[in-house]
Amino acid sequence: MCVIEKAYAKLYGGYNMIKGGKCHLAMSELTGGFPTEIILKEYERNLNGAWNQLISAFNNQYLLAAGSPGGRGKDTTSSKRGIVQGHAYSIVEVR
């Protein structure tokens, strides 16, 4: 369990109060930072733009996270590559 997630849940009165939240908004509220969201669908024709933003954010030591789209079974459904649907992931390295 992520310490940041626990702190955020405590701030709002429990896990049932934060169901379905966005990673960047939670980290912003806990750190006082300015959130940015990269929506990959907006870069369908030019993934280099999204990649460049991600590399820049990593090089500037920003906190990074990613969310996967929700599936039918939510936390019980995984993609072919093992990504759990409707889940948040910490990004610790970009290369």
Side-chain angles (χ1 to χ4, degrees):
M1 202 58 61
C2 174
V3 173
I4 293 175
E5 183 181 30
K6 284 184 180 183
Y8 194 66
K10 186 168 180 109
L11 178 68
Y12 281 95
Y15 282 99
N16 60 328
M17 302 301 288
I18 64 166
K19 212 171 188 179
K22 298 255 185 171
C23 309
H24 68 293
L25 298 177
M27 288 194 292
S28 171
E29 287 189 38
L30 292 170
T31 64
F34 298 98
T36 300
E37 182 177 27
I38 299 172
I39 301 171
L40 292 180
K41 271 193 166 181
E42 295 174 5
Y43 292 92
E44 283 180 324
R45 297 182 189 262
N46 179 18
L47 283 177
N48 286 335
W51 180 250
N52 290 336
Q53 275 190 281
L54 189 58
I55 289 289
S56 176
F58 180 76
N59 289 337
N60 286 303
Q61 299 181 339
Y62 293 174
L63 295 174
L64 301 173
S68 59
R72 285 192 179 133
K74 294 290 181 188
D75 287 345
T76 61
T77 306
S78 295
S79 72
K80 291 178 184 176
R81 295 185 178 213
I83 302 296
V84 176
Q85 301 302 291
H87 192 66
Y89 291 90
S90 299
I91 299 175
V92 296
E93 186 175 12
V94 178
R95 55 185 173 136

